[in-house]
Amino acid sequence: MANTYSALLAQYMYKDRCTIARQVETTDDIGADVYEMKDIYTDVPCKLGQTGQSSMNGQSTDRAFMIQDHLRLSLPVEYDVKENDIITIQHKGQTFVMRSDTPFKYMSHQEISLFRISEA
């Protein structure tokens, strides 16, 4: 039954595409251990949705207020998304670069809260 739901989600809901990247440990050219961003998955079918409006969290500097953006991403359950992965989403001609929270997995799909903190 889960395969039927997954197929329907893929056919009717997943109109967006995303790339999932994370920091991985590697060795540089002189042999030192370093971390670099690496694309883990590319061209993943997904659905981007909004969970609420952007908000100012009360924190500010002498230059700007900090704004938090929160979105929700739905995608097939077989992708192993980790907390703090960087997800670049192509949605209706727009590009969003967000950080992931812990995925919530269902039998048919998974939902991931995304966030970005920026200055205004």
Side-chain angles (χ1 to χ4, degrees):
M1 191 60 120
N3 284 341
T4 303
Y5 292 133
S6 298
L8 289 172
L9 288 171
Q11 182 177 0
Y12 294 108
M13 193 167 100
Y14 297 148
K15 303 298 183 192
D16 302 323
R17 292 285 184 257
C18 70
T19 297
I20 300 166
R22 81 175 51 116
Q23 282 190 334
V24 293
E25 188 175 353
T26 188
T27 305
D28 68 8
D29 55 351
I30 62 170
D33 293 335
V34 294
Y35 287 91
E36 69 179 10
M37 291 302 292
K38 180 180 179 187
D39 289 350
I40 305 300
Y41 303 109
T42 58
D43 201 35
V44 176
C46 61
K47 169 69 175 155
L48 184 65
Q50 193 170 14
T51 59
Q53 299 290 59
S54 297
S55 64
M56 287 192 262
N57 63 3
Q59 296 179 353
S60 64
T61 66
D62 57 347
R63 297 181 303 132
F65 283 101
M66 303 306 285
I67 296 177
Q68 294 181 354
D69 292 316
H70 295 275
L71 299 173
R72 178 177 39 233
L73 188 69
S74 297
L75 63 147
V77 73
E78 61 263 17
Y79 295 97
D80 183 29
V81 179
K82 307 254 186 238
E83 189 174 337
N84 288 316
D85 281 351
I86 303 298
I87 303 180
T88 304
I89 306 112
Q90 299 297 322
H91 172 76
K92 296 183 180 180
Q94 297 175 297
T95 301
F96 296 87
V97 180
M98 309 286 288
R99 187 173 298 275
S100 66
D101 203 348
T102 304
F104 189 84
K105 294 188 177 187
Y106 296 96
M107 288 177 56
S108 59
H109 70 288
Q110 61 183 313
E111 293 182 357
I112 303 165
S113 293
L114 305 173
F115 62 94
R116 172 179 57 197
I117 300 174
S118 57
E119 293 182 354

